[in-house]
Amino acid sequence: MCRIDIRSYILSFYYLVFGALSIGVEFKFEKIRQYVRILFSFVGRGFWYTFLGTIAFGGEWWAMLIAGFLIFAGVLNFIAVCANKDEADKTNDSQDNNIQQILDQRHENEKNQIEIQNNANIKDVNVNVAEAAAEQPGNNEVVHMDGNKSPINPFSDYDYSEEMQ
């Protein structure tokens, strides 16, 4: 008789997802670090492996063996915290510094993109003004804010952004 055990299927799904997450943590994937940063510390991994060990306990001998290994890995991570307290703090500080540098760089890039977009908008406005002035009869040059005069040419390489500063 075929018996469907929903609990086994759900646990098997969790084992697959949590196993893939554990592999990603051990390989230190940055995408995973963004969402579950705690797993990149000894304490976080200690709790993680202990948790996985407790849900892996089952009636079969191999389930008990896997659960024992996972709990043992969790205990080793807790021991690593106690043995390397100073090293762990330095590692976490350097990781925090690296993350802060990345965030600062992203912020700088965003500011540069905004500045580039603003300069492009300024050029577009000045080109529109030059085109409008060109439509005026008898008007064939533009006087810039710095006093320079130039022929009306909306496609010139004149840098209008310098006038705006």
Side-chain angles (χ1 to χ4, degrees):
M1 175 179 208
C2 183
R3 184 172 160 239
I4 297 176
D5 186 12
I6 299 295
R7 182 179 178 272
S8 295
Y9 290 119
I10 292 172
L11 279 175
S12 296
F13 174 75
Y14 284 143
Y15 295 151
L16 288 172
V17 171
F18 291 162
L21 182 62
S22 296
I23 290 169
V25 167
E26 291 301 330
F27 282 115
K28 298 184 181 0
F29 291 140
E30 286 300 318
K31 199 67 164 169
I32 294 174
R33 180 187 301 263
Q34 290 175 342
Y35 297 105
V36 283
R37 190 171 169 198
I38 192 163
L39 294 181
F40 285 83
S41 68
F42 288 126
V43 173
R45 277 195 305 255
F47 279 114
W48 177 249
Y49 286 130
T50 304
F51 166 71
L52 290 179
T54 59
I55 66 169
F57 271 117
E60 295 83 15
W61 66 270
W62 52 268
M64 297 285 220
L65 183 67
I66 291 171
F69 280 129
L70 286 169
I71 291 173
F72 182 68
V75 169
L76 286 179
N77 276 284
F78 288 128
I79 291 171
V81 170
C82 297
N84 298 322
K85 184 66 175 155
D86 294 333
E87 253 181 72
D89 289 341
K90 289 177 187 173
T91 302
N92 288 337
D93 289 344
S94 68
Q95 289 173 352
D96 290 342
N97 289 338
N98 290 342
I99 291 171
Q100 188 59 45
Q101 287 174 349
I102 291 169
L103 291 175
D104 290 344
Q105 186 177 13
R106 282 185 184 168
H107 180 68
E108 190 65 31
N109 288 345
E110 288 172 359
K111 281 176 39 181
N112 290 341
Q113 289 294 331
I114 290 170
E115 187 174 327
I116 289 168
Q117 184 63 37
N118 287 342
N119 288 340
N121 290 342
I122 290 169
K123 286 184 179 183
D124 289 344
V125 167
N126 286 327
V127 165
N128 291 338
V129 168
E131 287 173 346
E135 293 174 0
Q136 299 295 323
N139 194 0
N140 58 0
E141 63 183 14
V142 175
V143 178
H144 300 281
M145 294 169 71
D146 60 4
N148 293 332
K149 293 181 180 181
S150 65
I152 294 176
N153 180 0
F155 304 105
S156 70
D157 292 332
Y158 185 80
D159 189 8
Y160 296 98
S161 63
E162 291 175 6
E163 289 184 14
M164 301 306 290
Q165 294 176 351

